Amino acid sequence: MQQQTVPAAVSAEICARIDQFYAAQMQMLDEGNVGGWVATFAVDGVFESNGLPEPSRGRAALTALAAAAVARLDAQGAIRRHFVFNVIVEPQDGDVLRTTCYVPVFDTVGGVTTLTTSTVMRDELTVSGAELLVRHRTVTRDDLLVRS
C-alpha cells in the first residue's frame, strides 16, 4: 500500500468556496447549461480524461464536448447526476489550488437509476478575487484503469 501524506490544511472559507463551485458547476452540466458550465473554465482551460481520445482545449472545444454529451443523454432520455465528494485541496504557487476528489456519475433512464461510472477528478483551479476557474481538469474513469 502506498503511503500518503496529509496535505496542509486550507481555510474553511476556501473549502466552502470550492464546495459551492463544484455544486454549481456540476448542476449546470447536469441541467444541460453548457454555456454556464464552460464559463467555469479558464479561456484556455483543458479537460482531459482516459475515456476520451484527446484533451479538449479552450472554451470552443469544451463547448463542443459538453454539447455532445448533453445531446447524447437527451437522445437516450437520460437524467445525469454528478456527485462530488472527498475533496482534497492543496494550495500551489500563486493563486492556484489543486484539488482531488471522487465523482461517481449516475444516470436515470426509464425510472431506473444506475451508477454509470466512478471517477477521480483532479483540477488546477485559479483564484481571482471571488472567482474560481478550472485551468486544467483530469478525469480518470475507474473502469478504464488496468491494475497489475
Side-chain angles (χ1 to χ4, degrees), residues 22-72:
Y22 282 142
Q25 185 190 50
M26 295 302 169
Q27 288 183 28
M28 281 185 255
L29 184 59
D30 291 345
E31 293 168 0
N33 180 353
V34 171
W37 181 79
V38 169
T40 65
F41 283 79
V43 173
D44 59 349
V46 176
F47 183 102
E48 66 178 303
S49 172
N50 62 341
L52 297 172
E54 60 187 41
S56 294
R57 299 177 188 280
R59 287 188 172 168
L62 293 166
T63 298
L65 177 71
V70 168
R72 186 181 68 253

Side-chain angles (χ1 to χ4, degrees), residues 4 6 8 12-13 17 40 48 50 54 59 64 68-69 84 90 93 95 100 116 130 140-141:
Q4 291 185 301
V6 176
E13 178 186 348
R17 283 179 63 193
T40 65
E48 66 178 303
N50 62 341
E54 60 187 41
R59 287 188 172 168
V84 178
E90 300 175 89
D93 293 335
D95 292 329
T100 302
T116 302
T140 304
R141 287 179 40 182

Side-chain angles (χ1 to χ4, degrees), residues 3-15:
Q3 185 177 2
Q4 291 185 301
T5 59
V6 176
V10 294
S11 73
E13 178 186 348
I14 289 174
C15 289

Side-chain angles (χ1 to χ4, degrees), residues 120-138:
V120 175
M121 183 173 78
R122 293 176 176 85
D123 279 352
E124 286 183 8
L125 302 173
T126 59
V127 182
S128 177
E131 185 175 54
L132 291 172
L133 292 172
V134 178
R135 180 166 74 182
H136 194 114
R137 172 166 292 165
T138 303

Side-chain angles (χ1 to χ4, degrees), residues 98-120:
R98 180 171 289 143
T99 63
T100 302
C101 53
Y102 296 153
V103 184
V105 181
F106 292 85
D107 287 350
T108 301
V109 179
V112 177
T113 301
T114 57
L115 174 64
T116 302
T117 188
S118 173
T119 71
V120 175

